[in-house]
Amino acid sequence: MQELNFKLEVFEGPLDLMLSLIQKHKLNIRDIEIGVLLEQFLLYLEQMQQADIETAGEFVEMAAHLILIKSSALLPKHEAEQLKKELEGALIEYAICKAIAEKLKQRWTGSDVFVREPLDIPADTEYRHRHDMYELYGAVTAMADRIRLAEINSAAPSMKPIVAKSYVSVFTKIVYVLKRIRRNRRIEIKALYKGQTRSEQVATFLALLELSKHGYVGFSDDNSFLEYCGRESDTHPV
């Protein structure tokens, strides 16, 4: 066999090298002549060593695998064929991936991609769907309810309350305090405010000040109790 002379190229791996050797020697990838492939593969490894290039472990491993397939003639036929088919399958898959990668490489235009301006396409306002009569009636009814609710909500802030806050007079709370204090003679001040609104509490506080001013009630030393100081016949304290 004529000696193979070629430049020592750099391959990505043993499959890349074997695919290159198959193409150079026009071998059938689906029925590889293992003897020819092994001879050329070992020749490449020898040239790598002569060029003082450190031989990668994966290349040596593949060489050992090729030798195993070559020596598989001593094995049962189905085992030898299995080893050969596995190698051929791996090479076919690698060849397909490499071809696809080359196509993608040709399509790559770099980071600068220019496109045309968007076209001004007129909007299609025609509604082409068909609906049942009852479905349309339900949609119209729901839309009318939403419109009515929106009108009510928009009008709500401008509506004035019919009943305003009630006005609590101080005089009514004076009468209230006198009734409570005359019955108990002594009462806790917090009890007078219990269950009252803010306006009623303010009126009660003013009533206590007014009654204390005229001497009808007095406060305990710690200001927590109210004591009655007036006469039984007093009906109009102020």
Side-chain angles (χ1 to χ4, degrees):
M1 182 175 180
Q2 188 176 8
E3 183 179 357
L4 177 66
N5 294 317
F6 60 96
K7 281 188 176 182
L8 191 61
E9 301 177 14
V10 177
F11 296 96
E12 296 181 0
L15 289 179
D16 194 25
L17 170 59
M18 283 194 292
L19 190 62
S20 177
L21 293 174
I22 289 171
Q23 292 172 350
K24 281 181 179 292
H25 297 277
K26 299 179 180 179
L27 301 177
N28 184 1
I29 195 172
R30 298 185 182 275
D31 188 14
I32 301 174
E33 297 181 34
I34 297 297
V36 177
L37 183 61
L38 175 59
E39 182 181 350
Q40 300 304 319
F41 193 91
L42 293 176
L43 179 60
Y44 179 83
L45 293 184
E46 183 180 350
Q47 290 179 347
M48 289 176 65
Q49 293 174 352
Q50 291 174 358
D52 293 332
I53 299 176
E54 184 179 355
T55 306
E58 55 185 1
F59 284 89
V60 177
E61 182 182 359
M62 181 57 71
H65 188 66
L66 289 174
I67 294 173
L68 175 63
I69 297 175
K70 175 66 176 176
S71 60
S72 62
L74 304 175
L75 300 174
K77 185 176 180 180
H78 67 279
E79 294 185 15
E81 289 295 326
Q82 181 65 27
L83 291 173
K84 187 178 178 182
K85 290 297 181 185
E86 289 177 0
L87 177 61
E88 291 172 355
L91 285 170
I92 291 172
E93 289 180 359
Y94 183 80
I96 293 173
C97 292
K98 192 171 182 179
I100 294 174
E102 184 63 29
K103 288 183 179 179
L104 293 175
K105 180 180 178 181
Q106 293 174 359
R107 294 178 60 182
W108 186 68
T109 58
S111 57
D112 297 328
V113 179
F114 302 93
V115 297
R116 60 175 173 76
E117 294 292 331
L119 298 177
D120 186 11
I121 302 176
D124 186 5
T125 59
E126 182 180 355
Y127 192 81
R128 295 182 173 83
H129 296 283
R130 299 179 64 86
H131 297 276
D132 184 80
M133 165 177 70
Y134 297 101
E135 186 179 357
L136 293 175
Y137 175 76
V140 172
T141 303
M143 183 175 62
D145 291 340
R146 286 197 297 269
I147 293 174
R148 191 181 306 109
L149 183 60
E151 291 176 349
I152 294 173
N153 292 336
S154 61
S158 61
M159 296 176 62
K160 295 182 179 180
I162 298 175
V163 179
K165 292 183 178 179
S166 60
Y167 174 75
V168 182
S169 67
V170 177
F171 180 78
T172 57
K173 287 303 175 183
I174 289 175
V175 176
Y176 163 74
V177 173
L178 286 175
K179 286 182 178 180
R180 295 286 301 272
I181 197 66
R182 282 177 175 175
R183 184 168 57 247
N184 299 320
R185 294 289 174 173
R186 179 182 171 89
I187 188 171
E188 190 177 9
I189 295 177
K190 290 193 299 183
L192 296 173
Y193 294 105
K194 188 175 181 180
Q196 294 187 358
T197 63
R198 184 179 296 273
S199 298
E200 290 175 330
Q201 290 177 356
V202 172
T204 302
F205 176 74
L206 295 175
L208 291 176
L209 294 179
E210 193 68 25
L211 289 171
S212 175
K213 176 182 176 182
H214 292 279
Y216 287 93
V217 295
F219 296 94
S220 62
D221 293 337
D222 57 357
N223 293 322
S224 59
F225 284 90
L226 187 69
E227 299 175 350
Y228 182 64
C229 301
R231 301 185 301 269
E232 290 291 337
S233 58
D234 293 331
T235 57
H236 300 288
V238 292

